[in-house]
Amino acid sequence: MHQRRPLEKLLELSLFKSRWLLAPFYVGLVFSLVMLLVAFVNELVHGLMGLMHATAEQIILAALGLIDLSLAANLVVIVIFSGYENFISKIDTGDSEDRPSWMGTLDFSGLKMKLIGSIVAISAISLLRAFMSLTERDISLDEPRLRWLVVLHLTFIVSGVLFATMDWIAARAERH
């Protein structure tokens, strides 16, 4: 057995403990969650105030905006929990029945897939909102913007498929 020197032990301990430098990032993400909540409440209040005079399309657009913010908030929670548990420490929730089933089981590859899936969903909602806004009389067609939204959405989809393919290839290679 290899005898470790004190300097090597100190270096390894320092490297291991340095993972705690990530904790402020996750606390910062909690603040971004608060920011998303404020944006959600603002959108909700704005939507409710114009509800009686809104068209069906405007109501659908408002709902899509709320869904968009909700998906972004879910994504932040997934990154906070998974990142913290994968890179810093396990979160002790005791035997709470409210603990999400994916907590503690989502590795970096799974986190990456959830992340790209959420980005694709958010992109799809943004694209749908842009297309639905075309039905409003006072909004002119912005072809370059729509084209870029489609190109970005397709880029996200292709990226997701490539990530999934890479994970599938890596999993097959590990089995052999």
Side-chain angles (χ1 to χ4, degrees):
M1 182 109 198
H2 160 36
Q3 186 70 5
R4 294 180 353 162
R5 292 176 293 234
L7 184 59
E8 183 181 6
K9 285 182 182 179
L10 178 64
L11 175 63
E12 289 175 1
L13 182 64
S14 298
L15 290 174
F16 182 68
K17 296 227 181 245
S18 71
R19 72 192 191 285
W20 284 97
L21 293 172
L22 287 170
F25 290 90
Y26 297 116
V27 172
L29 287 176
V30 171
F31 286 113
S32 75
L33 201 55
V34 172
M35 292 167 32
L36 285 167
L37 175 62
V38 169
F40 184 89
V41 170
N42 283 339
E43 288 267 334
L44 182 62
V45 168
H46 179 72
L48 289 174
M49 290 177 83
L51 183 62
M52 295 313 230
H53 306 290
T55 64
E57 288 84 10
Q58 290 170 327
I59 292 171
I60 292 170
L61 286 171
L64 287 173
L66 295 174
I67 291 168
D68 204 15
L69 288 167
S70 174
L71 285 172
N74 289 338
L75 179 62
V76 171
V77 169
I78 289 170
V79 170
I80 291 170
F81 286 177
S82 294
Y84 187 88
E85 285 212 334
N86 280 321
F87 300 111
I88 298 177
S89 181
K90 296 293 179 202
I91 297 174
D92 182 14
T93 58
D95 46 348
S96 172
E97 63 186 42
D98 292 333
R99 181 180 171 93
S101 61
W102 54 265
M103 266 182 74
T105 62
L106 195 61
D107 61 0
F108 187 69
S109 177
L111 175 61
K112 180 177 58 178
M113 292 313 298
K114 283 196 178 295
L115 186 69
I116 194 69
S118 295
I119 290 170
V120 168
I122 290 167
S123 171
I125 289 171
S126 295
L127 188 57
L128 181 59
R129 287 176 72 184
F131 281 123
M132 286 197 63
S133 68
L134 295 176
T135 62
E136 294 183 21
R137 280 177 253 135
D138 53 341
I139 294 183
S140 62
L141 178 65
D142 186 358
E143 277 189 56
R145 180 176 181 268
L146 284 175
R147 193 174 307 114
W148 277 111
L149 285 172
V150 169
V151 166
L152 286 173
H153 182 65
L154 291 173
T155 301
F156 292 142
I157 290 172
V158 169
S159 297
V161 169
L162 289 175
F163 279 143
T165 303
M166 288 186 299
D167 285 348
W168 178 76
I169 291 169
R172 288 194 62 189
E174 285 176 8
R175 276 188 259 150
H176 288 53

